[in-house]
């Protein structure tokens, strides 16, 4: 089998940064040139990304598919943006473009994951009538649940049965994350992906909010059937998405982090 990495010896400056950053420590310097006997790796691409001269290539993370990092984020801008981002529960009666949702989720998949496994996929419902059906099935699940769950969602159900969509908030779209039941990091990876999607959404003119009540019913058979998931698959997250019908003017106060240094 061809070597996992290849190195342009004329460009290589023997800095060893690729060796240092490799999570599995598969690369070493041999006569001043990066070398490995490994045939496979997690394909995280860090060895390619860190090379200051672009001398190293990786079969599983090709140099020609990388992008140059042109500028680093400005602290004040990033700090202000992250604090100003809000969960949105008011949406226009418009369907977001499929292309925008596709871009949103393509971006989400650039997030870090455990050992770069990337074993989470997405199911998108971009149809307000189908979203309403999911909300109805969620309400049905709650009504058929035990007393503890009924008490927990008593106010939600009162609003929903009174005509206010307290479950999906009138969102025209829903995004679900799906993975194999045997993947131990399915939920964690889904949370990371969804969080990245939420951060990127405003740049596309989209608004999002975790569909926490829907998540409660993700194992409900009629919902699984509607989503078309397989027996070996688990639905690990749900996110409302749409075009915002509200604009926030201020950043609300949040308490300082509770931190203990040891």
């Amino acid at each position: 089998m061809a070597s996992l990495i290849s190195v342009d010896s004329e460009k290589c400056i023997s800095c060893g940064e690729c060796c240092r950053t490799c999570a599995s420590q598969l690369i070493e310097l041999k006569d001043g040139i990066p070398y490995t006997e490994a045939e496979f790796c997690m394909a995280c691409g860090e060895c390619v990304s860190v090379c200051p001269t672009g001398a190293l290539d990786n079969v599983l993370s090709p140099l020609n598919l990388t992008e140059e990092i042109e500028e680093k984020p400005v602290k004040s801008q990033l700090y202000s943006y992250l604090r100003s981002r809000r969960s949105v529960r008011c949406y226009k009666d418009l369907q977001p473009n499929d292309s925008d949702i596709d871009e949103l989720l393509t971006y989400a998949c650039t997030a870090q994951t455990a050992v770069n496994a990337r074993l989470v996929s997405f199911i998108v419902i971009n149809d307000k009538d189908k979203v309403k059906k999911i909300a109805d099935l969620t309400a049905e699940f709650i009504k058929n649940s035990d007393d503890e769950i009924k008490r927990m969602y008593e106010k939600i159900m009162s609003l929903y049965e009174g005509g206010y969509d307290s479950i999906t908030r009138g969102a025209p779209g829903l995004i679900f994350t799906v993975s194999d039941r045997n993947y131990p990091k399915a939920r964690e990876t889904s949370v990371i992906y969804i969080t990245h999607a939420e951060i990127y959404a405003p740049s596309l003119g989209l608004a999002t909010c975790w569909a926490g009540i829907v998540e409660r019913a993700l194992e409900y058979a009629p919902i699984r059937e509607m989503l078309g998931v397989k027996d070996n698959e688990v639905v690990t997250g749900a996110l409302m998405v749409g075009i915002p019908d509200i604009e926030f003017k201020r950043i609300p106060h949040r308490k300082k982090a509770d931190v203990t240094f040891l």
Side-chain angles (χ1 to χ4, degrees):
M1 180 176 176
S3 176
L4 185 64
I5 64 172
S6 58
V7 180
D8 185 333
S9 59
E10 293 186 0
K11 289 184 178 180
C12 180
I13 59 174
S14 305
C15 64
E17 291 294 89
C18 53
C19 306
R20 294 178 62 216
T21 195
C22 178
S24 301
Q25 291 294 282
L26 301 176
I27 306 173
E28 59 182 292
L29 290 183
K30 188 173 183 180
D31 297 326
I33 300 296
Y35 167 82
T36 183
E37 293 183 351
E39 295 182 349
F40 298 98
C41 68
M42 67 174 71
C44 67
E46 289 200 1
C47 58
V48 177
S49 299
V50 79
C51 182
T53 60
L56 187 146
D57 204 351
N58 185 315
V59 173
L60 300 180
S61 186
L63 176 63
N64 66 347
L65 297 182
T66 62
E67 299 175 43
E68 295 289 331
I69 299 175
E70 297 180 356
E71 57 182 330
K72 294 182 179 180
V74 177
K75 176 184 174 182
S76 60
Q77 293 176 336
L78 191 58
Y79 182 63
S80 177
Y81 169 67
L82 291 176
R83 291 189 305 132
S84 65
R85 198 206 61 76
R86 308 254 65 81
S87 294
V88 175
R89 298 174 179 85
C90 303
Y91 302 93
K92 292 183 178 179
D93 189 20
L94 297 169
Q95 296 301 137
N97 294 326
D98 286 350
S99 58
D100 287 338
I101 295 179
D102 185 69
E103 180 178 342
L104 178 70
L105 300 181
T106 297
Y107 167 80
C109 286
T110 66
Q112 71 277 18
T113 65
V115 298
N116 200 39
R118 310 201 173 275
L119 299 177
V120 170
S121 58
F122 302 96
I123 293 174
V124 177
I125 294 179
N126 194 13
D127 181 313
K128 63 182 181 180
D129 293 331
K130 291 181 180 178
V131 172
K132 178 62 166 59
K133 179 63 176 176
I134 291 288
D136 287 342
L137 289 173
T138 301
E140 180 180 282
F141 166 80
I142 293 172
K143 284 190 284 187
N144 293 332
S145 296
D146 58 39
D147 290 342
E148 182 180 354
I149 291 179
K150 288 178 181 177
R151 284 194 299 270
M152 185 183 302
Y153 295 106
E154 183 176 357
K155 177 62 175 178
I156 294 293
M157 291 301 295
S158 176
L159 289 170
Y160 195 76
E161 291 171 349
Y164 174 75
D165 183 5
S166 53
I167 296 177
T168 52
R169 307 288 179 166
L174 279 172
I175 297 169
F176 297 90
T177 50
V178 182
S179 188
D180 189 283
R181 285 191 182 278
N182 294 321
Y183 177 39
K185 297 296 183 181
R187 175 62 177 177
E188 291 90 336
T189 300
S190 300
V191 169
I192 293 170
Y193 278 2
I194 290 175
T195 299
H196 269 64
E198 287 198 293
I199 291 171
Y200 191 62
S203 72
L204 298 171
L206 298 176
T208 57
C209 182
W210 280 85
I213 303 171
V214 173
E215 285 193 340
R216 189 80 183 192
L218 291 179
E219 284 291 276
Y220 189 43
I223 288 181
R224 289 180 55 82
E225 181 179 351
M226 184 173 173
L227 295 179
V229 293
K230 302 172 183 176
D231 290 343
N232 67 312
E233 293 178 324
V234 59
V235 186
T236 50
L239 184 72
M240 294 178 268
V241 63
I243 299 170
D245 195 29
I246 197 168
E247 183 179 355
F248 297 98
K249 306 296 184 182
R250 295 166 196 84
I251 299 172
H253 173 71
R254 294 289 186 263
K255 293 181 180 179
K256 188 178 182 298
D258 183 358
V259 182
T260 301
F261 290 96
L262 301 178

